[in-house]
Structures are given as C-alpha cells and as structure tokens.
Amino acid sequence: MAYDKFVTLTSRAVPLPVENVDTDQIIPARFLKAVERKGFGDNLFRDWRYDKANQPIADFPLNDSKYSGKILVGGKNFGSGSSREHAAWAIYDYGFRVVVSSFFADIFKGNSLNNGLLPVIVSPAFLEKIFAAIEADPTTELEVDLENQKITLLTTGESEEFEINAYKKHCLQNGLDDIDYLVNMKEEIEAFER
Amino acid sequence: MEAKTLFDKIWDAHVVKKVEAGPSVLYIDRHFIHEVTSPVAFLGLKNRGLKVFRPDQTTATPDHNVPTIDQELSIKDELSRHQVEMLKKNCDEHGITYHGLGSEGHGVVHIIGPEMGLTQPGMTIVCGDSHTSTHGAFGAIAFGIGTSEVEMVLASQCIMQPKPKKMRITVDGELGKGVTSKDIALYIISKISTSGGTGHFIEYAGSAITSLSMEARMTLCNLSIESGARGGMIAPDDTTINYIKGRQFAPKGADWDKAVEYWKSLKSDEGAQFDTEYHFDAADIEPMITYGTNPGMGIGVTATIPLGEELQGTDRTTFLKSLKYMDYNPGEPMKGKKVDYVFLGSCTNGRIEDFRAFAQFVKGKKKADDIHVWLVPGSKAVEKQIIAEGLDQIFEEAGMALRQPGCSACLAMNDDKIPEGKYAVSTSNRNFEGRQGPGARTLLASPLTAAAVAVTGVITDPRELM
C-alpha cells in the first residue's frame, strides 16, 4: 500500500497511558465490514471515544482539545490481540504517523511498518518521562528522527535511540512495500518450488 | 550437526532467501482466507494488475460475518452480506476454492482446515487471522498475518518475516478431573502474561501435552497468540498421524508412507536451544476462569480476584480500569457470581469433542431459568456429527438449542452479540472490553465450566457436578 515517505517528524503527542491496548479497542470488529481501505479513522477507539448516544466522551485524550499531534503514546503491550490491519489503518487515517510505547505486540508492529506508521519502542523509564512531560505541558513536542533512529523530548532535550530493522527502515524512508520486492522474485520463488 | 528445534527445521526448509540485515522470504504452503481481512488485499492485487500466484494452495470460507440462525436466508446486514459476496466474487475471479455458507465444507476457517486434512505437519500456514496459531497443533508453523501480508501471499506465495525467538513450554504430569487443554492455556497465560510470548514461537512439550487429543491440542495452540506469541506448535506423533489419515486432502498410498516418514522426523533434537523455557506441573492446574479484560487475567474457578496491591503506576490503573469495566472488586470470589449468557463455540472450542464434553455434562440436567445458552458448531461437519450422535437431542432435553456454524459471539461482528452490561461465560479466546458486543462482559472458560454454568446460572466449579 502506498504511503508517505518517513523522514523526521516533530510534533506534539497524544497520551494514552493504558496498558495492553488491544486492537479490538483500537477498532471494534463491527467496523471491519468495509471492503476498501478508507474512513477507518472515524471509528478509531470508537467505544472509548464515544458514549452510547454517540457523544464524545470528554476526558478521552482524542477528545481533549489540549492534546493534538501526529504522535500517539501508549502504555506497554500496545496492539495486542486480533491481527486486523484495520487497527494500523485507523491510527494512520486519523492522522498519526508514529506510535510510541515501551512494548508492541508483534502483528500490530508488522502491520504498522507495512503501512507507513512508525512504531517507536522506548524504555519504560523514557515512556514515563514522555507521559509526565505531556501531562505537565500538553504543548510538549517530540522529535522522531528515523535516519538516526532517535526520539527526543524537545522540552528537556532528553533523547533515546530506538531499534528498527534496516530493511524496514529503508522501506519507510522510501515509501516502499514488500509486495514489489516479492513480485520481482518470481523466478527465485518458482525455482524454490521445484 | 547442530541440534535444531522443531521450529528451526520447518522454518529453514521454507526460506527462499534471507534479505541482508532484514527479514527472510518465507515460502507458504497453505493460505486460508476469510471475508474480513482479504478484500483490501484483492483490491491491492487488482490495482497492481496481479493474479493470485498459487490459487490451489489457497482456501476460502466466510465465517466472521455470518448469522448462526436461518442461514438459508440471505444475510440481513447489508455490509456483512456485501463482504461475504465480495469474497465469493474474488475467489471465482482467481480460481480459489470457496466453501460458502450452508455448503458441506463451510465453517470457521481454523476448524475446516484440519477437518479436511489441509493442515499437515511440517507446513507453513498463514491466514489473515491471529488464531491461525491453531494449526500449529499438527507440528506446522502457522501464524496470523495482516492484510498487507495476505496480499503478499496472494501475489507471491511468500511472506517477509524476521525469524522469531523460540520458547518451549513443558507441562508434565497428569491433568486433574475436570481440567481441559483450555485450562492449561489460560493457566499458562495467567503465569506468563499476554505479552510473555511476544517475539517468540512456542513449542509445547511434556507428558500433559502429548497425552492430549488432537482437538485439545488445537485449543491449546489456538490460544498461543493470547500470550503474545505468533504461534505455538506440538511435535507430530501417532495422535497427529491417526487424526490426518483418511481425510480428504491427506496424502494417499505411497505418498502417505513418505509423508509419515517425514512427519516422524519433525521434533526438536536432543540439546536444541530455546531462547526461553518454562516448566509447569499439570497437577497445579484447576478449571480456570477469567475475571478481567485480557486473557492473562485468569484464576482457578475456586480462587478470589487478586487484590493487585503490589501493582504500581499504569499497571495499577489498568488493573482497576479492567475491574471497573467488569463491575467486580478485588478480593471477591468468582464462584457464585451471576451469569447471563453461555457461549460454546469459536475456533478455540467449537469442535466435536467440545460438544461431546458439554453434552455429557448437561445430560439429564436442565438449563438454569434465566440464562441464555448459545451452542454454535465450528463447522458444518461438526454440526452434522452433533446430529448424527444425537447430542442435539440431549441439548434439547436440557432446554438448549443448537445454532448453525460461524464465529458467532466470539467477536460481535455478526448478529450474535452479548448485550451491554451482561456477563457471558464464553469458550472463545478474548475477554477484551466490548469483544462480544459493546459493554459486554466476558469470562473465558472451558466447555466443561461453561456447561456447569449453563445448568446453575452462576459461576460454578464443574468438578462439583461431575
């Protein structure tokens, strides 16, 4: 799937200090009935974001006007559960380009990387610092530098390096996906089958 | 020669190419698809002008969206119907075998694969569904993938994956009365947490595992993903081979002998290294029940909800948020709590042995007055077998009705939703907030515990009624 190239992002961040945010919360199953990839952002965190009367729940961070930005910061074990790629699509479609957590579930991490959404894994201590900084000042900005694999809290200048597979980094920096790569391998795959 | 794990043996045999400083290109033997996670992948193929590379290695069935009553009629929900029709259309266009609603081969995708003999030891198997881990019970590398990856497999029969770490979980000893493989799984997850398996592929071993039937093994491997592991597997043995023999797509004649010889070689070598190892004693495992909003929040059915006093920071707030959703308090016993619904079914516990166990338990008893019981076979074949064995009569005499196959109340995507605020003891796999319907409260348990609840209306230790 085509997505924007990722270089460096400087943005405020939306905090979601909850652990084990599963993909059923990110997008409930009843919103998975589309046959095209569009509009999933409207239902991002649907049941945490809206009440039964479809009114926004004021204290949910996405509804809180003091928070904004293209970075979502979540508690540990973010994206667990169902393999639905719709979760990554919903987060991207809403406008996020980075999700920060101290720990991601495997399938969600892979799905994000395949869709231009960068999962940034930080230490639990640094995650706490980010949450504290945003709580103290919601205009706090973070800088995510993919080339140098570095995330910086711009208010204090504190930074941490993050890991990313070199191949996936190359894909993100160039807006490439795996399918082009695999389709170009057709002869090798046919030879393997024999 | 270097000692290899079962996982290594199968993985290494499927690597087409290792990308430098990147993932491996892994060849996929079997690809299962369903209606929810495939349409965008087919659209991607169309946009690139590609055809499905190996349609004969792909099998399709609609399961998530389908109703479980009146399947003969057209699906009422327009979006659901469209998604199911789209799967059929895509399959027709690309020459993929499609097991439609009401047909002999229809069912939950992870139930029909093994039933037909499509799932075999030594294979690599994927599906756009996290419970693909089920197929690992046969000694296969089976894992759930996202839709981009579904598109990759449709386009090239390959997927790009970094090699995971390896974990072995050994459970030795004899299981107590009323303890099933579902309880083993919930026990393990309660010990290692829902992220304990992340980054790993699990091999289950030990006498308590090898003594399990094939279907019980599928339940255990199915729940591997709930520990965060991509998949879980069990080395094939006579139980595996006897299960596969004679099934529709099982190898025949000389091919069978050759296959069996290969399958018997599929086990971890003596001295093979695992990145992480756990050992558990089967005697420590009770019938389990969950009290919170992730599958790691499980306890023995006779236990009390943890106090969580040792938890701090977001751990503590997450724990309390979970109990608030359930409307439970720390320190309360689970036994005796009121239940509104019982759901038997899903890719976790929707097989014939699950229905036999449930039927045997409720035989001669009556459904509790104010409880709804949904009995949903995992496939058409399971439904037929239930009827052939007269289990439907037992259910009827107990005041319970059999429904038609599908994912049903596991995920609130079809008509079978648990109403807001109600409690459901469910044999499925996830107790996340809203998983079975907005505001629904899920308690995961085995078919036996579910049967005990169905006849008492409250959380009950099945051993007391056996």
Side-chain angles (χ1 to χ4, degrees):
Chain A
M1 192 71 204
Y3 50 81
D4 299 335
K5 295 177 186 180
F6 194 104
V7 189
T8 293
L9 176 69
T10 302
S11 168
R12 290 188 196 179
V14 179
L16 188 60
V18 179
E19 294 175 2
N20 307 315
V21 173
D22 59 77
T23 55
D24 273 83
Q25 306 317 313
I26 298 173
I27 186 147
R30 63 188 188 279
F31 300 113
L32 307 184
K33 297 183 183 186
V35 293
E36 287 178 81
R37 188 198 144 168
K38 57 183 180 196
F40 289 106
D42 293 344
N43 294 313
L44 174 65
F45 292 113
R46 182 78 200 192
D47 294 337
W48 284 358
R49 208 167 132 199
Y50 296 99
D51 65 16
K52 278 171 276 174
N54 281 327
Q55 294 304 307
I57 296 169
D59 64 354
F60 186 66
L62 292 191
N63 296 328
D64 191 333
S65 58
K66 68 174 181 276
Y67 300 123
S68 64
K70 295 184 172 181
I71 300 172
L72 178 65
V73 188
K76 75 175 176 214
N77 199 24
F78 191 92
S80 55
S82 157
S83 61
R84 59 189 69 167
E85 193 161 315
H86 312 68
W89 298 340
I91 293 172
Y92 189 94
D93 187 51
Y94 185 87
F96 292 113
R97 292 295 173 269
V98 171
V99 184
V100 179
S101 178
S102 56
F103 197 97
F104 287 96
D106 288 331
I107 303 180
F108 176 80
K109 188 166 75 180
N111 286 342
S112 298
L113 289 166
N114 283 333
N115 286 278
L117 179 68
L118 176 61
V120 172
I121 306 162
V122 296
S123 67
F126 197 68
L127 185 68
E128 285 308 316
K129 278 183 190 168
I130 296 172
F131 279 135
I134 302 170
E135 196 184 325
D137 177 5
T139 68
T140 297
E141 286 193 315
L142 289 165
E143 183 188 80
V144 179
D145 176 353
L146 179 56
E147 175 59 34
N148 294 305
Q149 298 177 213
K150 202 166 101 172
I151 176 165
T152 308
L153 246 175
L154 291 180
T155 39
T156 61
E158 285 172 284
S159 67
E160 200 170 86
E161 286 184 6
F162 61 85
E163 293 284 320
I164 183 170
N165 176 301
Y167 166 81
K168 276 294 167 194
K169 178 177 170 180
H170 172 79
C171 288
L172 281 170
Q173 288 175 318
N174 296 283
L176 300 174
D177 70 19
D178 293 345
I179 295 167
D180 299 319
Y181 187 97
L182 289 171
V183 170
N184 287 327
M185 275 186 63
K186 198 175 163 207
E187 282 177 20
E188 280 172 83
I189 295 168
E190 281 170 346
F192 178 88
E193 287 179 321
R194 290 191 288 271
Chain B
M1 236 176 49
E2 193 197 345
K4 280 182 157 192
T5 65
L6 167 62
F7 179 84
D8 289 328
K9 288 180 185 179
I10 302 172
W11 179 276
D12 295 350
H14 287 82
V15 172
V16 179
K17 179 181 175 176
K18 172 84 177 71
V19 181
E20 209 185 318
S24 294
V25 175
L26 194 70
Y27 189 81
I28 300 302
D29 296 315
R30 195 74 74 203
H31 188 193
F32 294 106
I33 59 174
H34 63 78
E35 78 279 19
V36 182
T37 55
S38 67
V40 172
F42 279 108
L43 197 62
L45 285 191
K46 192 176 170 188
N47 291 340
R48 292 170 201 256
L50 296 171
K51 293 294 286 178
V52 173
F53 186 62
R54 293 289 177 254
D56 53 339
Q57 287 168 242
T58 315
T59 306
T61 194
D63 52 7
H64 287 57
N65 273 283
V66 304
T68 60
I69 43 174
D70 296 334
Q71 285 187 348
E72 305 70 28
L73 309 174
S74 153
I75 300 174
K76 274 183 258 161
D77 182 290
E78 196 184 328
L79 292 173
S80 290
R81 190 175 65 241
H82 183 58
Q83 210 171 40
V84 169
E85 286 169 355
M86 192 62 109
L87 178 63
K88 166 116 183 25
K89 181 171 167 282
N90 284 327
C91 288
D92 287 348
E93 205 172 305
H94 291 273
I96 294 168
T97 304
Y98 172 79
H99 299 286
L101 198 54
S103 71
E104 292 288 301
H106 177 254
V108 177
V109 68
H110 308 307
I111 306 253
I112 66 166
E115 265 172 10
M116 293 180 183
L118 286 166
T119 300
Q120 293 168 19
M123 282 183 165
T124 48
I125 301 172
V126 295
C127 173
D129 191 287
S130 61
H131 292 109
T132 308
S133 58
T134 311
H135 308 264
F138 290 80
I141 292 181
F143 54 94
I145 58 178
T147 296
S148 294
E149 294 168 319
V150 171
E151 188 180 340
M152 286 175 213
V153 181
L154 291 175
S156 68
Q157 205 58 34
C158 288
I159 190 169
M160 301 188 74
Q161 290 288 301
K163 190 173 181 179
K165 289 190 228 170
K166 286 152 288 177
M167 176 185 286
R168 181 162 58 191
I169 298 180
T170 306
V171 187
D172 277 317
E174 227 174 286
L175 291 174
K177 185 175 95 167
V179 179
T180 70
S181 69
K182 178 65 165 282
D183 302 301
I184 301 178
L186 290 175
Y187 178 82
I188 291 171
I189 304 162
S190 78
K191 294 292 174 195
I192 73 170
S193 91
T194 55
S195 57
T198 305
H200 291 80
F201 223 91
I202 300 172
E203 180 178 343
Y204 297 99
S207 59
I209 305 298
T210 51
S211 66
L212 295 174
S213 72
M214 210 52 230
E215 295 196 354
R217 294 179 188 188
M218 286 187 240
T219 301
L220 176 63
C221 290
N222 171 281
L223 291 161
S224 302
I225 181 69
E226 307 313 331
S227 72
R230 231 21 214 286
M233 62 205 308
I234 297 169
D237 58 11
D238 287 342
T239 302
T240 323
I241 292 163
N242 292 337
Y243 179 95
I244 300 169
K245 194 170 189 180
R247 291 186 184 264
Q248 190 183 354
F249 292 99
K252 305 281 181 321
D255 288 342
W256 170 258
D257 297 333
K258 216 174 114 191
V260 168
E261 196 189 326
Y262 171 57
W263 295 345
K264 286 188 167 168
S265 75
L266 293 173
K267 54 181 174 239
S268 290
D269 296 330
E270 192 87 19
Q273 290 297 307
F274 290 83
D275 298 281
T276 313
E277 291 234 35
Y278 287 102
H279 294 267
F280 296 108
D281 185 348
D284 292 339
I285 308 176
E286 270 203 284
M288 297 286 291
I289 189 128
T290 62
Y291 59 89
T293 56
N294 74 57
M297 300 176 87
I299 48 177
V301 68
T302 60
T304 54
I305 297 174
L307 297 173
E309 280 168 343
E310 74 291 357
L311 302 172
Q312 292 180 342
T314 50
D315 284 326
R316 175 93 184 144
T317 49
T318 303
F319 173 76
L320 293 176
K321 180 180 188 292
S322 180
L323 288 191
K324 188 179 170 206
Y325 181 85
M326 296 301 290
D327 197 19
Y328 287 160
N329 295 302
E332 286 178 349
M334 289 302 287
K335 255 179 74 177
K337 283 187 176 298
K338 175 87 182 70
V339 177
D340 307 293
Y341 285 78
V342 164
F343 169 50
L344 174 67
S346 86
C347 60
T348 309
N349 281 124
R351 298 179 191 82
I352 189 64
E353 286 181 9
D354 300 314
F355 283 83
R356 283 180 191 143
F358 194 101
Q360 196 183 7
F361 194 98
V362 302
K363 190 172 185 179
K365 301 187 180 80
K366 290 283 179 202
K367 180 181 86 61
D369 282 341
D370 47 358
I371 198 162
H372 302 268
V373 178
W374 290 348
L375 306 175
V376 185
S379 70
K380 202 75 189 166
V382 172
E383 184 188 20
K384 280 178 73 174
Q385 191 63 27
I386 288 170
I387 293 165
E389 294 180 18
L391 305 182
D392 57 328
Q393 293 303 315
I394 296 173
F395 298 140
E396 202 171 300
E397 281 159 24
M400 306 167 189
L402 189 67
R403 296 168 85 98
Q404 292 169 304
C407 293
S408 184
C410 177
L411 88 167
M413 197 167 176
N414 47 68
D415 300 337
D416 303 348
K417 294 183 180 71
I418 306 299
E420 190 188 347
K422 299 293 182 191
Y423 293 92
V425 165
S426 178
T427 64
S428 57
N429 39 61
R430 287 183 176 137
N431 51 346
F432 299 150
E433 284 184 31
R435 171 76 179 186
Q436 297 192 287
R441 295 166 172 150
T442 303
L443 306 140
L444 300 176
S446 74
L448 276 182
T449 303
V453 173
V455 297
T456 61
V458 296
I459 295 175
T460 303
D461 182 346
R463 294 170 296 189
E464 291 173 8
L465 298 176
M466 287 170 82

